[in-house]
Structures are given as structure tokens and as C-alpha cells.
Amino acid sequence: MAASATPSAIDDILAEHAGLERDLSDPSLHDDPAAARRAGKRFAQLAPIMSVHAKLAAARDDLEAARELAADDASFAAEIPALEATVLQLDTALTDLLAPRDPHDADDVVLEVKSGEGGEESALFAADLARMYVRYAERHGWRVEILDANISDLGGYKEATLSIKARTDTADGVWSRFKFEGGVHRVQRVPVTESQGRVHTSAAGVLIYPEQDEVEAVQIDETDLRIDVYRSSGKGGQGVNTTDSAVRITHLPTGIVVTCQNERSQLQNKARAMQVLASRLQAAAEEAADKEAAAGRASQVRTVDRSERIRTYNFPENRITDHRIGFKSHNLDAVLDGDMDALLDALAAADRQARLQAE
């Protein structure tokens, strides 16, 4: 059983919530869009805690009143057990909400998909994964921006980089839902290039990291960068393939390479690529500084090899299996269409259980 929420912890939250409420009502805050966005996200993040706290306070008042009435009239005693159960349930829920959370849960993300073993079929599967994440994002009203894509001959993704942003009025951000997606995803199906109808196995990789709102928050030495410009490729409307507007930035000390060709100008592409680079460097720095984080993210792609799979997508059986938690369901078609909540809820529940056991 979870311990009761401590008064000091909830008092701190109440004070922070009141302060954010004052800040958000101050017009001057909105002169700084980044600061307003951060305040709005944090305010939304505290909303579930405030709601449960209010319900708990009301339930405790009802319980106290019932006990006082029962002292004079025994007929009121019958209400007490149900009220006690409600108070216990709400107190446990509040304690869980106040437990330490991943500090990045409210963050937006940069998500990369990369083809691996399987050639053209792997690239097609990488595109299927990207489409799955885009459709899930659309279901939740999130905004998706394709920053870069290297398209294969049959229209798959050799690699693609997506930025996914949540609304500011949500308690949790994209990271809270997608942080378990990093790793190798394996597919079993008959490839479009297979003439004999045989099932093949191939793999694609997913990398995901919180997106930094401000490049300045991460120290980047310009002398550590090699910046190349080249002609944008693929569909993009008027202006694409006519100027050298795409940008590739290589961070020499780490070997991290970031490309962006989505924006209209070279300067815009460079600024966006720098933001992605800052996000990757920050994620790498946190992993190096925190052994637990490094262990927790060890499932992310090292080499896109079938043996390092976190999940299998079996098309002949319409089955999806997450090997980390033993999750199985036979609605692969729906999952690939963005119906991922049951899967992501199961991963979040397993993570929550592990966190509670570690306390």
C-alpha cells in the first residue's frame, strides 16, 4: 500500500499551482512565448494533482461529517465504510501522482526511424512505423513535422526525422507516451518484392529523445561543427530542388549527424537542425551522467539487428508482441493505424510498477 501523501509535498504543489495561475494571468508573461509555453505545460501537468486533492478534501469532510452524525444516530454508520474506502483510494492516487516522475514527461520529442536488415522491405516497414506514430499523434491533436527523410526507391524510409509536439493544455507531453518506443522493431510479413509468397523477417530502428525548446540551453562549440549545405530532395512544393537550402550538421566530437530540409530557407533549416542537435546532445549528456537513464535506454538502437528487438509485428497473424513486458494483441492493423493506447498504457503500467517497487 502506498504511503499517505505528505502535507509538505502537497503544500508545495498548491503554492506552485497558485503561482503559475498568477503568472499565466499576467499579460507580460506572454511577451515571451517560450516562457508562456513552459508555464502552460507545467500548469496543465499539475491539474490532475489539484483535481484529486480537491476530491480527497471533500471525501475527508464527508467522512468526518458521517462519523459525527453516527455518534448521535447509528443509522449513519452504514455510510462510513464506503467513505473510508473512497478516502483511502483517493489518498493512494494522490500519493502516486506526487511520486517522482520522469522530468521529461511533459516534453515534446524528436523521433527518428531508420531501416536496417531487409533492404527495401525494411525501408517500407520504417515508413509504416513513422506513419503509425503520425496517426497516433493526429488522434491526440499533436503537431507533426517531418524534418528530414531519405526515401527509398519504393517509397519507404531509409531514414526519417520527425518532430512531434503536444498541445500546451495537456498534463503530459509526447515523451510520456513515446519514451518506450526507442529500440529495434521487427516485422514478419510477405514483402511486396517477394514473388513466392514467403514470409520474411526484417527490422527497423527507432530513436527518440526529448526536444529542447532552446538551443542556448545546451553548450555547443561552433568549432566542433561541420556544416554542409546541399540541394533538397523529395516532394516539397515550389522551390525544392532549385536551391542549396538543405543543411547537414556534423558534431565532430560525437559523430552525431543531423539533417534538415523541411524549411524554405537555408537559415531556417540550420536553426531547426541546431535545435535537433541540441536535443540529441542533451539526451547523450543525461545518459552519460545518469547510469540509471543509460541502463533504461539501453534498449534503444545500437545496431539495427533483429536480435535486439523490443517488439515484433507479425502480419500473417495480425499480432503485435512487445517482448519487454510480454504484451500481445491481435489487432496489428489497428495499431499501425495509430490505435496504440492499449500498448502504451501497458508499457506505462509496467514502468509505474517497477518504479513503485524501487521506492
Side-chain angles (χ1 to χ4, degrees):
M1 183 183 298
S4 177
T6 61
S8 61
I10 191 62
D11 287 347
D12 290 344
I13 293 294
L14 292 172
E16 183 183 5
H17 186 268
L20 286 167
E21 199 165 31
R22 287 193 301 271
D23 291 344
L24 288 167
S25 65
D26 184 351
S28 65
L29 173 67
H30 301 276
D31 293 337
D32 183 347
R37 177 179 166 82
R38 286 194 298 271
K41 272 193 168 186
R42 181 58 179 163
F43 188 77
Q45 197 173 22
L46 296 181
I49 299 175
M50 299 300 295
S51 175
V52 173
H53 175 258
K55 291 177 183 177
L56 177 59
R60 282 174 170 161
D61 288 343
D62 291 344
L63 176 59
E64 183 179 357
R67 285 171 173 166
E68 290 176 356
L69 291 169
D72 297 325
D73 185 344
S75 64
F76 287 99
E79 300 178 14
I80 292 177
L83 288 169
E84 288 177 335
T86 299
V87 168
L88 179 60
Q89 178 186 15
L90 290 169
D91 189 58
T92 301
L94 183 60
T95 300
D96 181 52
L97 286 170
L98 292 173
R101 287 296 196 267
D102 185 328
H104 291 298
D105 271 353
D107 287 356
D108 300 322
V109 305
V110 174
L111 186 151
E112 298 179 12
V113 292
K114 298 176 182 289
S115 62
E117 291 186 10
E120 192 66 58
E121 162 63 4
S122 176
L124 290 170
F125 177 53
D128 289 340
L129 290 175
R131 192 177 305 111
M132 175 179 74
Y133 296 129
V134 168
R135 288 179 176 169
Y136 182 84
E138 290 171 346
R139 286 170 180 252
H140 289 263
W142 298 345
R143 182 164 58 89
V144 179
E145 182 184 4
I146 299 177
L147 302 179
D148 186 60
N150 185 351
I151 300 173
S152 69
D153 292 339
L154 294 182
Y157 282 155
K158 294 179 182 178
E159 56 185 10
T161 304
L162 285 65
S163 167
I164 306 178
K165 297 181 182 294
R167 304 186 309 269
T168 57
D169 60 347
T170 54
D172 283 327
V174 185
W175 177 259
S176 69
R177 298 302 280 167
F178 277 177
K179 61 184 175 182
F180 306 110
E181 290 303 294
V184 174
H185 298 241
R186 183 176 72 165
V187 62
Q188 295 172 325
R189 65 181 175 188
V190 179
V192 294
T193 54
E194 168 58 53
S195 59
Q196 303 298 318
R198 294 172 297 186
V199 173
H200 288 226
T201 298
S202 61
V206 175
L207 283 168
I208 187 163
Y209 35 90
E211 181 165 6
Q212 295 294 308
D213 286 332
E214 301 171 14
V215 174
E216 292 77 15
V218 180
Q219 296 266 339
I220 301 177
D221 189 339
E222 289 279 344
T223 62
D224 288 338
L225 304 179
R226 185 176 72 236
I227 301 176
D228 302 305
V229 296
Y230 58 100
R231 189 154 296 180
S232 298
S233 61
K235 298 176 181 178
Q238 187 176 2
V240 173
N241 291 327
T242 60
T243 60
D244 291 336
S245 62
V247 173
R248 179 188 298 110
I249 299 178
T250 304
H251 186 250
L252 300 174
T254 62
I256 292 174
V257 179
V258 174
T259 59
C260 184
Q261 59 175 319
N262 184 61
E263 307 294 345
R264 287 293 182 182
S265 73
Q266 185 183 124
L267 284 176
Q268 289 173 319
N269 278 321
K270 180 184 176 184
R272 201 69 179 89
M274 285 293 291
Q275 189 175 11
V276 174
L277 176 61
S279 300
R280 291 194 61 174
L281 289 173
Q282 180 64 24
E286 289 178 5
E287 289 184 359
D290 187 339
K291 291 182 180 179
E292 275 191 17
R297 296 173 189 174
S299 63
Q300 296 222 10
V301 180
R302 296 186 294 277
T303 58
V304 185
D305 181 276
R306 290 194 299 263
S307 65
E308 297 183 343
R309 68 189 184 279
I310 63 166
R311 190 177 299 150
T312 296
Y313 303 73
N314 185 303
F315 276 71
E317 299 179 16
N318 195 34
R319 185 185 76 238
I320 185 167
T321 304
D322 194 287
H323 305 288
R324 296 165 295 180
I325 58 172
F327 176 92
K328 286 186 180 181
S329 68
H330 290 270
N331 65 334
L332 174 57
D333 50 352
V335 172
L336 287 173
D337 196 43
D339 185 5
M340 299 178 67
D341 277 322
L343 170 61
L344 298 180
D345 286 346
L347 286 161
D351 179 68
R352 174 180 175 276
Q353 186 61 33
R355 175 172 48 80
L356 289 173
Q357 290 175 352
E359 286 182 354

